[in-house]
Amino acid sequence: MPTFVDRVILHVTAGDGGHGCASVHREKFKPLGGPDGGNGGRGGDVIVRVDPDVTTLLDFHFHPHQRASGGRPGQGSNRHGADGADLVLPVPDGTVVLRPDGEQIADLVGAGSSVVVARGGRGGRGNAALASTRRKAPGFAELGEPGEQLDAVLELKTVADVALVGFPSAGKSSLVSVLSAARPKIADYPFTTLVPNLGVVQAGDNAPYTVADVPGLIPGASTGRGLGLEFLRHIERCSLIVHVLDCATLEPGRDPLTDLDVIEAELVAYSTDLSDRPRAVVLNKIDVPDARELAELVTSELTARGLDVFAVSSATREGVRALSLALAERVAEHRAARPPQAFQRVIIRPRAVDEPDFAVRAQDDGFVVTGAKPLRWVRQTDFSNDEAIGFLADRLARLGVEAELARLGAESGVAVTIGDVTFDWEPQLSRHGGRIVDDHEGGAAGAESTLGPRGSDDRLVTSTRLTRAQRLARRARDREAFAARNADPHGPDTPDGIDSHDSSGLLGGPDGPGGLADEVRA
């Protein structure tokens, strides 16, 4: 079972927004008290954050699918749904977040550094938020917007001060074990080290520094041979590169100078520029007599190249103390010359002033509408509700989508696609007698339409409520009519003094003004 994982593919899904609520306030003597549906809650975000206590991506290797919680739906009595909780994914320091195509999303260095990789969906508005003077009692609510989905690649680049590089079995792991308290696996066969090993070194009164043992490199490592391509990323953040050269190798064609040239060529061929990193050379295994002689022969040539040379023996610990102090001094110099680390700043990317809200393009036999607003509106529309569909049509018309379609030559009935929804387009719709016609062919008929605008409640449009002055005037007329009938000696009197054959008085006629029937209908 792996214990160190430095690259994973993470499938993250943010929380969906909660649906809005379509509700009408009801209580005794007030059956239609107005819309009171609450809004849905926002879905939770997925956040990747550096945790100093995490050193590997092992958890995401076994659990690559991560999902944030969704928002709760709204309820009646203007109760809004709760927001979904954000999902925070802890990662080691030095983690790079990439898209599947290799585009970098964030480079997380430093405790607390974070990035939102998937944003939660917006909650849908309830019918109380959708009410207006034109639409007093919406019979629909918006759906919650689905959360974003992303397949993110996490790559760990070890944050170390000193990186030990060299051929397999050059003694890198042994050197780490004598420099620090780390206990990496050590054996007498190549590629013993399969994962980077990190050790903390305390040299004298100097500040402690970290040293990383990178798995052995071979010719062609930068193109994928061996384990080099998989672990070369771990030396990108180091302050100092130390070449560990095996002076006791028995392989033909190998010597310290040749090994140095081969490893340097692989570092140059690697995609990241490492030419500015200071170098040092460790001639290892000088406890072997022939190795000591070879080290003495190549030291002058290595010094001529401007490299600091240290002859050590991990077995007898000869020269290890001097190497440790020298590395500590070099690391301290690099830290002093490094600019102070700036705090992570919030980056705001406002929309461009001339950025259009939507775009329309012809495709096959129809048209495709793109843009953040139309796509969001379609996702939040309940297509099982005709009133909600009319509300969407009005919003698209106000945005200018219908005008743009007409400009591009779209005809009635053409297929228009927005997101995952395709519908037949009808230009500038108006309603007359329950039939949908074009304004230009309806003429005056459009003005006599008995149906309300799209997305409105026609019951409220056709109903009227008398004012107090109108009710008092109506009662005065009724009293005058009653007195006139009682004063007529030839008029038939009923027991209560009202002509039962006259329906134009208190009850009012169907076409007469005022009357109780009108008030009941109101």
Side-chain angles (χ1 to χ4, degrees):
M1 183 178 70
T3 58
F4 179 86
V5 176
D6 62 349
R7 188 179 188 275
V8 295
I9 298 179
L10 197 61
H11 310 281
V12 297
T13 304
D16 298 336
H19 298 330
C21 177
S23 173
V24 176
H25 179 69
R26 301 178 187 275
E27 60 182 74
K28 192 174 182 180
F29 306 120
K30 192 185 293 185
L32 296 176
D36 66 347
N39 302 335
R42 178 189 61 84
D45 298 336
V46 180
I47 303 173
V48 177
R49 182 174 297 164
V50 173
D51 188 342
D53 297 331
V54 178
T55 58
T56 177
L57 301 174
L58 183 63
D59 290 344
F60 306 126
H61 173 74
F62 292 109
H63 303 93
H65 297 272
Q66 301 288 334
R67 185 184 185 94
S69 60
R72 301 295 297 174
Q75 300 180 38
S77 300
N78 292 307
R79 290 176 293 178
H80 301 320
D83 294 339
D86 295 337
L87 177 62
V88 179
L89 305 178
V91 296
D93 190 7
T95 300
V96 179
V97 186
L98 307 169
R99 298 187 186 276
D101 58 0
E103 179 186 356
Q104 180 174 307
I105 299 177
D107 189 355
L108 304 178
V109 179
S113 300
S114 62
V115 62
V116 178
V117 294
R119 296 193 176 276
R122 300 185 184 185
R125 291 181 293 175
N127 63 343
L130 296 172
S132 63
T133 55
R134 182 171 175 264
R135 187 180 296 102
K136 298 181 180 179
F140 66 98
E142 290 181 342
L143 302 179
E145 187 179 6
E148 295 180 349
Q149 297 182 357
L150 177 67
D151 295 336
V153 180
L154 303 183
E155 287 187 353
L156 174 59
K157 297 181 179 180
T158 303
V159 179
D161 297 309
V162 178
L164 305 181
V165 297
F167 271 75
S169 299
K172 300 183 296 297
S173 298
S174 301
L175 187 57
V176 169
S177 65
V178 298
L179 285 173
S180 67
R183 292 296 176 263
K185 182 180 179 180
I186 300 173
D188 58 350
Y189 54 85
F191 297 111
T192 306
T193 302
L194 300 178
V195 298
N197 297 305
L198 230 63
V200 180
V201 183
Q202 179 68 58
D205 296 332
N206 298 290
Y209 62 93
T210 56
V211 56
D213 166 24
V214 180
L217 305 178
I218 61 175
S222 60
T223 59
R225 292 191 61 191
L227 300 176
L229 183 61
E230 195 170 333
F231 296 107
L232 273 172
R233 72 173 75 95
H234 290 280
I235 67 175
E236 292 183 17
R237 305 186 190 278
C238 64
S239 305
L240 177 66
I241 297 177
V242 176
H243 290 274
V244 180
L245 305 179
D246 186 0
C247 293
T249 180
L250 299 178
E251 295 183 21
R254 281 189 55 190
D255 60 77
L257 296 178
T258 303
D259 291 355
L260 177 63
D261 294 338
V262 170
I263 299 302
E264 280 292 337
E266 295 302 322
L267 295 180
V268 171
Y270 187 55
S271 58
T272 302
D273 185 15
L274 300 172
S275 60
D276 60 336
R277 310 300 167 84
R279 262 74 162 172
V281 173
V282 171
L283 301 175
N284 199 13
K285 303 181 182 179
I286 61 172
D287 54 295
V288 179
D290 293 341
R292 185 182 295 272
E293 295 179 3
L294 181 59
E296 294 173 355
L297 291 175
V298 300
T299 298
S300 58
E301 185 169 348
L302 294 173
T303 304
R305 297 187 183 185
L307 299 172
D308 296 335
V309 182
F310 303 91
V312 302
S313 171
S314 300
T316 62
R317 303 203 175 193
E318 180 183 352
V320 172
R321 177 68 176 175
L323 172 64
S324 178
L325 293 173
L327 294 180
E329 293 177 0
R330 297 290 295 273
V331 169
E333 294 175 0
H334 184 271
R335 290 175 178 174
R338 187 171 51 192
Q341 183 177 359
F343 291 100
Q344 186 180 13
R345 297 185 177 182
V346 178
I347 301 176
I348 300 176
R349 297 182 176 87
R351 268 186 53 188
V353 177
D354 56 347
E355 181 181 351
D357 292 325
F358 69 95
V360 181
R361 71 175 188 275
Q363 187 178 47
D364 299 333
D365 296 334
F367 293 87
V368 176
V369 180
T370 58
K373 284 187 177 181
L375 291 177
R376 185 176 72 250
W377 293 346
V378 166
R379 287 194 295 262
Q380 292 182 326
T381 299
D382 180 8
F383 286 95
S384 63
N385 188 305
D386 293 338
E387 196 175 343
I389 297 175
F391 179 62
L392 171 64
D394 284 345
R395 299 177 84 178
L396 293 176
R398 287 195 300 269
L399 188 63
V401 174
E402 288 193 353
E404 182 65 15
L405 287 170
R407 189 186 68 82
L408 295 177
E411 298 180 353
S412 177
V414 69
V416 176
T417 302
I418 303 178
D420 298 331
V421 179
T422 301
F423 56 91
D424 297 332
W425 178 64
E426 293 293 341
Q428 287 299 107
L429 297 182
S430 65
R431 304 186 179 188
H432 174 64
R435 184 173 64 89
I436 299 177
V437 297
D438 291 340
D439 280 346
H440 60 79
E441 83 178 42
E448 300 175 358
S449 175
T450 59
L451 296 181
R454 293 177 293 193
S456 65
D457 191 338
D458 301 328
R459 296 171 298 175
L460 297 180
V461 175
T462 58
S463 65
T464 58
R465 184 177 180 89
L466 299 179
T467 64
R468 184 174 181 273
Q470 291 173 337
R471 290 198 301 271
L472 293 176
R474 183 197 63 194
R475 291 172 184 171
R477 291 195 308 268
D478 292 342
R479 282 194 297 268
E480 293 175 358
F482 178 73
R485 284 193 298 271
N486 286 341
D488 186 3
H490 303 289
D493 294 335
T494 59
D496 55 0
I498 299 179
D499 186 358
S500 60
H501 300 286
D502 185 3
S503 61
S504 64
L506 290 176
L507 295 178
D511 297 329
L516 184 60
D518 289 341
E519 184 175 359
V520 172
R521 286 196 297 271

